[in-house]
Amino acid sequence: MSLLGRIAEKTSRLSCLRLMSVYPTHYVEPIVQKYKQLEQKNDLSKLYHVPIKAAVNKSSDTIFHDDTKHKMINYITKKGNSALARTLLSKTLELIKRTQTEHMNLAKGEKTTINTNPETLLKQAVENCRPLLQVTAIKRGGVTYQVPVPITTKRSYFLAMKWLLEAAREKERKVSLPEKLAWEILDAAHGQGRVIKRKDDLHRLCESNRAYAHYRWS
Amino acid sequence: MRVPGALFAARGRAPQSEKDVPFQEILPLRLKNTVSGKADSGSDVACLQEMGVLFACLKDNEFVEKYCHKEISQFQNCYKCYMDRKFEAKKTVNQGIVQPGSNLNYKQLNKYMRRYPNPV
């Protein structure tokens, strides 16, 4: 093992390549969905002689596959029980559908303005909960400051989904998770609720600490 | 005038013998083969002005993001451009492309001095 590590280090030092990567840099990503292949029919001839990476295990061509939903299932999962997480999210989306349908039936006019699609409501909730900045603890001269730092897109999506789940899990223990999560998603999709307040509190904290913004290093 | 001063006036003080006080090398008397990169770290703080403008807009509008679309997009574009530029610079440094006459990065200097150290 030490010999292999030394050989890898020597080779990587000489050739400046990442040896641990599965694919070289000239491989292109696969186009999994068939409708995307049909959309880019004219450009497919350029890919005849270009090596293509293998498709990821979780990628799918079905219309029920969605990246946000898939990532939400991953965050709900505890102890590797993905089947339970998928069931919980299905119940959540079903509850959202039933609630919005009931609101649509109870509304006198303006029936068409109520959105009953739970997937778009989930995406809307996650978009509404994404923060713009976060605070980082930076120590200068023995004092630890909370410095506002711009956030990356992936990190903001992660924080949004984590906050939704945390807000759902810390409510009443006797109420099941799909009900709590459905209410949190509906509140966040309409721009209210505890997760929106948490994001606003983070923004206010960043604004109050704006004087320390130059302490960060990037 | 005291007598000992008068007796020694012709000779003055004798020079210090080097064997009595041997030379000690407290710090090494040769240059290192590395260059520290600490001076570069604190100089480039990105997107401070856009962040200030964003905070002013958010404060004016009670932290509702609906009214601050322009500032938000400016701030996010600034940070994205900064990260892209940083990534490209890091890739250039790792590829080892060096132009003569330009200021070398500390990593490039360390790489050169690892290959051609100071003669001992």
Side-chain angles (χ1 to χ4, degrees):
Chain A
M1 197 61 201
S2 173
L3 179 63
L4 285 180
R6 213 178 302 137
I7 289 174
E9 185 189 357
K10 186 179 291 293
T11 314
S12 67
R13 186 185 296 168
L14 289 177
S15 62
C16 297
L17 285 180
R18 283 183 57 219
L19 290 190
M20 295 299 117
S21 177
V22 179
Y23 293 104
T25 53
H26 60 276
Y27 275 62
V28 299
E29 296 284 339
I31 305 171
V32 177
Q33 284 85 21
K34 191 174 284 294
Y35 72 95
K36 283 186 180 177
Q37 294 178 8
L38 292 179
E39 277 176 7
Q40 308 177 25
K41 201 178 183 63
N42 297 322
D43 296 332
L44 284 185
S45 58
K46 298 177 183 175
L47 300 176
Y48 281 171
H49 305 287
V50 178
I52 300 172
K53 296 177 184 177
V56 188
N57 194 13
K58 69 177 178 68
S59 63
S60 174
D61 196 15
T62 177
I63 58 172
F64 300 109
H65 179 79
D66 188 60
D67 285 336
T68 307
K69 229 169 51 175
H70 194 88
K71 202 158 275 291
M72 200 70 182
I73 287 170
N74 286 341
Y75 293 150
I76 293 173
T77 303
K78 280 188 171 180
K79 297 183 180 177
N81 201 345
S82 283
L84 176 62
R86 208 178 303 119
T87 306
L88 290 174
L89 192 65
S90 288
K91 285 184 181 176
T92 304
L93 297 182
E94 182 190 342
L95 276 171
I96 292 172
K97 181 83 173 182
R98 288 179 179 275
T99 306
Q100 291 298 98
T101 308
E102 181 180 347
H103 284 174
M104 187 179 68
N105 289 328
L106 285 180
K108 298 298 185 294
E110 64 193 35
K111 285 178 183 295
T112 57
T113 58
I114 295 178
N115 190 2
T116 57
N117 193 344
E119 287 190 21
T120 52
L121 282 169
L122 174 62
K123 281 184 174 178
Q124 184 70 38
V126 172
E127 284 289 332
N128 285 345
C129 295
R130 287 177 58 206
L132 301 169
L133 301 126
Q134 58 179 350
V135 287
T136 301
I138 290 175
K139 186 178 278 191
R140 294 280 179 172
V143 183
T144 303
Y145 298 99
Q146 299 286 322
V147 175
V149 167
I151 204 171
T152 57
T153 306
K154 188 181 289 187
R155 173 83 181 162
S156 69
Y157 275 111
F158 165 71
L159 280 183
M161 294 189 217
K162 181 187 171 186
W163 289 345
L164 278 168
L165 263 179
E166 278 185 356
R169 277 178 172 148
E170 73 184 5
K171 276 187 167 179
E172 296 270 340
R173 283 186 61 91
K174 297 182 178 179
V175 186
S176 63
L177 180 71
E179 290 186 38
K180 301 185 281 188
L181 191 54
W183 279 113
E184 289 296 330
I185 287 171
L186 281 171
D187 279 344
H190 291 97
Q192 53 199 2
R194 300 196 295 170
V195 189
I196 300 290
K197 184 181 183 304
R198 186 168 180 171
K199 184 193 72 171
D200 283 345
D201 286 347
L202 179 63
H203 286 167
R204 285 172 204 274
L205 177 64
C206 291
E207 198 272 330
S208 63
N209 286 326
R210 68 197 284 185
Y212 308 127
H214 62 280
Y215 277 163
R216 66 171 202 264
W217 46 75
S218 67
Chain B
M1 184 171 67
R2 286 191 281 181
V3 175
L7 282 180
F8 292 126
R11 287 189 288 162
R13 189 181 66 83
Q16 179 72 57
S17 173
E18 288 180 6
K19 288 189 283 294
D20 291 343
V21 186
F23 176 72
Q24 300 179 22
E25 185 179 300
I26 296 176
L27 288 178
L29 295 181
R30 54 196 168 272
L31 293 176
K32 293 181 182 177
N33 287 318
T34 55
V35 164
S36 170
K38 274 202 255 180
D40 295 342
S41 62
S43 59
D44 52 346
V45 180
C47 310
L48 271 182
Q49 193 169 354
E50 284 86 1
M51 187 190 271
V53 172
L54 173 65
F55 280 145
C57 182
L58 282 178
K59 195 172 184 181
D60 287 343
N61 292 292
E62 294 288 331
F63 290 90
V64 179
E65 297 174 14
K66 196 191 309 177
Y67 309 113
C68 301
H69 267 303
K70 187 165 69 70
E71 283 84 5
I72 289 169
S73 59
Q74 274 181 5
F75 177 63
Q76 286 179 346
N77 284 335
C78 174
Y79 190 60
K80 184 175 176 299
C81 287
Y82 171 74
M83 293 305 281
D84 287 346
R85 214 182 309 122
K86 195 177 178 182
F87 179 72
E88 291 294 327
K90 189 173 183 178
K91 204 163 66 172
T92 304
V93 166
N94 284 333
Q95 278 178 1
I97 299 172
V98 174
Q99 289 107 18
S102 67
N103 288 324
L104 292 182
N105 197 12
Y106 70 98
K107 289 180 182 175
Q108 293 164 331
L109 264 178
N110 285 333
K111 194 175 180 181
Y112 270 125
M113 285 194 282
R114 209 181 300 125
R115 189 167 293 185
Y116 307 104
N118 282 318
V120 295

